[in-house]
């Protein structure tokens, strides 16, 4: 049965502005990720150097995440969102220096690479705050009955912007080069802020002196560990994506194995998001109604099998299809995980829980990028991807056996 909730949810102007702003900022982030992976690999020709991009961002992001959750819960969210948005604009603008003035200033490839790492390290601090802010605002904007659908639409917009960002990043690099692609990234970040300005302020339910920082952080973390469904879903996400992060090595596959160039890089980067977008659009119309816990475990295992297939493939379109299928399975996982976290979390600690959630996400994505680079250096690119996919399947089996509450979860 097809649901009419998407149209009802999108009639909310505040929700539309939030999603539109998120579309443009995620578009910019994905273009930037594609750009940096390509730029650094062209400078160094070392897969490990791509992994260091993720490590540069994840260290400050994870270190600041729990404190960020406290700040989000204790302060007005719109103001924080705009501060983080403009912090990103300033920091990414610094990359225009080596992009435009490389010849005049006689930068070496290693100097540019280290400068990129330094800038990305600083963006990691802003990332710790901006990641949880948008999802923490949604429950105050939409009615509770529309919340599962709003979460699905939020993920759909995220994936549409990811697909467009990865693909556009590849095409712009191919036709306009690194420096003008970087300019486009900054323009989209500024455009995102235009829609964030239209949001209504969301003030804290707490008085700032009401709760101490460490007590606030402890409350959020304790809630996650007490709620086995949330803990199981987050652990599944963290370890599965940590080991199944084949996407980080796509610049190497595109350059050295599939011989597809920058255009092929953009499409391969977008492939998993294309799959996720298809399935999440479907789920927004025909939602999952039962056995969500068992489905979550099954699709994570299937995701691992797709990563193995991608690692073994030597044909471009076969590799592309494995990534699309992996994205479809991951899209189902994202919807189920996101709904579990939002439905199981009270409003007064939502920022802290979502910030702790962001640690799991950032650990899996950025540490997965570092792990992929390190494994590629030690075992070779193909073996590292196949090994990572195998570990993902194993993690799904372990979590399924050990966490009965998640296995039986329905909403």
């Amino acid at each position: 049965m097809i649901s009419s909730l998407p149209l009802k949810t999108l009639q909310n102007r505040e929700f539309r502005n939030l999603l539109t702003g998120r579309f443009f900022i995620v578009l910019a982030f994905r273009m930037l990720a594609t750009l940096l992976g390509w730029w650094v690999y062209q400078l160094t020709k070392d897969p490990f150097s791509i992994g260091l991009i993720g490590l540069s961002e994840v260290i400050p992001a994870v270190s600041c995440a729990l404190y960020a959750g406290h700040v989000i819960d204790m302060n007005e969210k719109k103001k924080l969102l705009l501060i983080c948005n403009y912090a990103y604009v300033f920091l990414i603008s610094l990359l225009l220096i080596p992009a435009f003035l490389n010849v005049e200033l006689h930068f070496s490839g290693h100097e540019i690479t280290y400068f990129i790492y330094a800038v990305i390290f600083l963006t990691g601090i802003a990332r710790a705050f901006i990641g949880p802010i948008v999802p923490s605002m949604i429950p105050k904007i939409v009615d509770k009955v529309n919340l599962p659908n709003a979460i699905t639409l939020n993920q759909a917009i995220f994936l549409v912007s990811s697909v467009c960002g990865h693909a556009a990043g590849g095409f712009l690099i191919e036709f306009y080069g690194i420096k003008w692609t970087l300019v486009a990234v900054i323009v989209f970040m500024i455009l995102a802020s235009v829609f964030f300005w239209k949001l209504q302020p969301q003030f804290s339910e707490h008085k700032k002196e009401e709760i101490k920082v460490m007590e606030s952080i402890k409350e959020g973390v304790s809630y996650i560990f007490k709620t086995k469904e949330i803990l199981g879903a987050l652990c599944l996400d963290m370890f599965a994506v940590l080991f199944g992060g084949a996407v980080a090595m796509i610049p190497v596959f595109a350059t050295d194995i599939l011989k597809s160039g920058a255009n092929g890089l953009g499409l391969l980067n977008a492939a998993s998001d294309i799959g996720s977008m298809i399935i999440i659009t479907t789920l927004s119309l025909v939602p999952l109604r039962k056995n969500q816990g068992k489905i979550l475990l099954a699709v994570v295992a299937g995701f691992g099998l797709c990563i193995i297939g991608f690692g073994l493939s030597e044909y471009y379109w076969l590799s592309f299809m494995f990534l699309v299928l992996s994205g479809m399975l991951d899209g189902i996982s994202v919807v189920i995980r996101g709904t579990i976290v939002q439905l199981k979390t009270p409003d007064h600690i939502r920022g802290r829980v979502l910030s702790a959630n962001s640690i799991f996400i950032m650990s899996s994505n950025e540490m997965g990028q570092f792990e992929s680079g390190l494994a590629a250096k030690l075992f070779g690119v193909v073996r590292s991807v196949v090994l990572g996919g195998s570990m993902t399947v194993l993690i799904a089996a372990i979590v399924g056996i050990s966490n009965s509450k998640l296995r039986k979860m329905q909403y």
Side-chain angles (χ1 to χ4, degrees), residues 305-319:
L305 294 174
C306 290
I307 297 304
I308 294 172
F310 171 78
L312 294 174
S313 171
E314 296 180 356
Y315 300 97
Y316 180 84
W317 287 108
L318 181 60
S319 299

Side-chain angles (χ1 to χ4, degrees), residues 387-410:
L387 177 62
S390 302
M391 290 298 296
T392 301
V393 176
L394 179 61
I395 292 296
I398 292 172
V399 172
I401 293 170
S402 61
N403 193 322
S404 61
K405 285 194 173 183
L406 178 62
R407 190 172 64 247
K408 297 173 182 178
M409 174 70 189
Q410 299 193 79

Side-chain angles (χ1 to χ4, degrees), residues 9 42 84 89-90 98 130 177 266 272 314 318 363 387:
T9 307
Q42 297 309 307
C84 293
V89 170
F90 171 74
I130 202 168
S272 61
E314 296 180 356
L318 181 60
S363 296
L387 177 62

Side-chain angles (χ1 to χ4, degrees), residues 89-107:
V89 170
F90 171 74
L91 291 169
I92 299 306
S93 295
L94 295 177
L95 294 177
L96 295 172
I97 298 171
F100 277 88
L101 301 176
N102 177 29
V103 175
E104 291 82 352
L105 298 178
H106 306 290
F107 288 126

Side-chain angles (χ1 to χ4, degrees), residues 96-256:
L96 295 172
I97 298 171
F100 277 88
L101 301 176
N102 177 29
V103 175
E104 291 82 352
L105 298 178
H106 306 290
F107 288 126
S108 68
H110 286 298
E111 287 172 337
I112 295 174
T113 302
Y114 295 146
F115 186 74
I116 290 171
Y117 292 153
V119 170
I120 297 306
F121 181 90
L122 294 174
T123 66
I125 299 172
R127 169 79 178 271
F129 288 83
I130 202 168
I133 293 176
V134 171
S136 72
M137 295 177 79
I138 293 175
K140 290 292 187 70
I141 292 175
V142 302
D143 296 331
K144 188 173 182 179
V145 68
N146 294 325
L147 183 57
N149 187 258
I151 295 167
T152 303
L153 287 171
N154 180 49
Q155 292 296 338
I157 289 296
F158 175 85
L159 290 164
V160 170
S161 57
S162 291
V163 170
C164 295
H166 284 312
F171 291 136
L172 286 173
I173 293 168
E174 179 75 14
F175 293 107
Y176 297 102
I178 288 171
K179 58 186 180 182
W180 293 111
T181 304
L182 196 56
V183 170
V185 168
I186 295 168
V187 168
F188 284 124
M189 288 183 177
I190 294 172
L191 187 57
S193 72
V194 173
F195 291 92
F196 292 148
W197 272 109
K198 296 180 180 181
L199 298 174
Q200 295 297 316
Q202 284 194 14
F203 295 98
S204 170
E205 297 178 1
H206 301 273
K207 294 180 180 178
K208 290 187 178 180
E209 65 273 11
E210 196 174 81
I211 185 169
K212 295 181 180 179
V213 174
M214 292 309 298
E215 292 176 357
S216 172
I217 292 172
K218 183 179 178 181
E219 183 182 7
V221 174
S222 297
Y223 185 81
I224 290 176
F225 279 91
K226 287 190 297 185
T227 312
K228 299 303 181 184
E229 297 93 333
I230 294 179
L231 181 62
L234 297 188
C235 287
L236 192 65
D237 177 47
M238 182 177 72
F239 289 109
V241 180
L242 175 66
F243 292 113
V247 173
M249 291 296 104
I250 283 178
V252 183
F253 276 84
T255 302
D256 299 335

Side-chain angles (χ1 to χ4, degrees), residues 303-410:
F303 172 83
L305 294 174
C306 290
I307 297 304
I308 294 172
F310 171 78
L312 294 174
S313 171
E314 296 180 356
Y315 300 97
Y316 180 84
W317 287 108
L318 181 60
S319 299
F320 179 83
M321 291 309 300
F322 272 123
L323 289 176
V324 170
L325 182 56
S326 74
M328 295 178 75
L329 296 172
D330 187 51
I332 299 172
S333 172
V334 165
V335 169
I336 296 174
R337 289 196 315 266
T339 306
I340 289 173
V341 172
Q342 290 281 21
L343 290 179
K344 289 282 183 179
T345 305
D347 285 339
H348 70 283
I349 59 169
R350 196 175 301 277
R352 282 161 284 171
V353 170
L354 289 172
S355 290
N357 177 31
S358 72
I359 293 179
F360 286 80
I361 295 171
M362 288 183 288
S363 296
S364 59
N365 290 332
E366 277 67 33
M367 285 303 294
Q369 186 177 14
F370 174 71
E371 181 272 336
S372 295
L374 180 60
K377 191 174 185 69
L378 295 175
F379 307 116
V381 175
V382 172
R383 289 179 183 174
S384 69
V385 171
V386 172
L387 177 62
S390 302
M391 290 298 296
T392 301
V393 176
L394 179 61
I395 292 296
I398 292 172
V399 172
I401 293 170
S402 61
N403 193 322
S404 61
K405 285 194 173 183
L406 178 62
R407 190 172 64 247
K408 297 173 182 178
M409 174 70 189
Q410 299 193 79

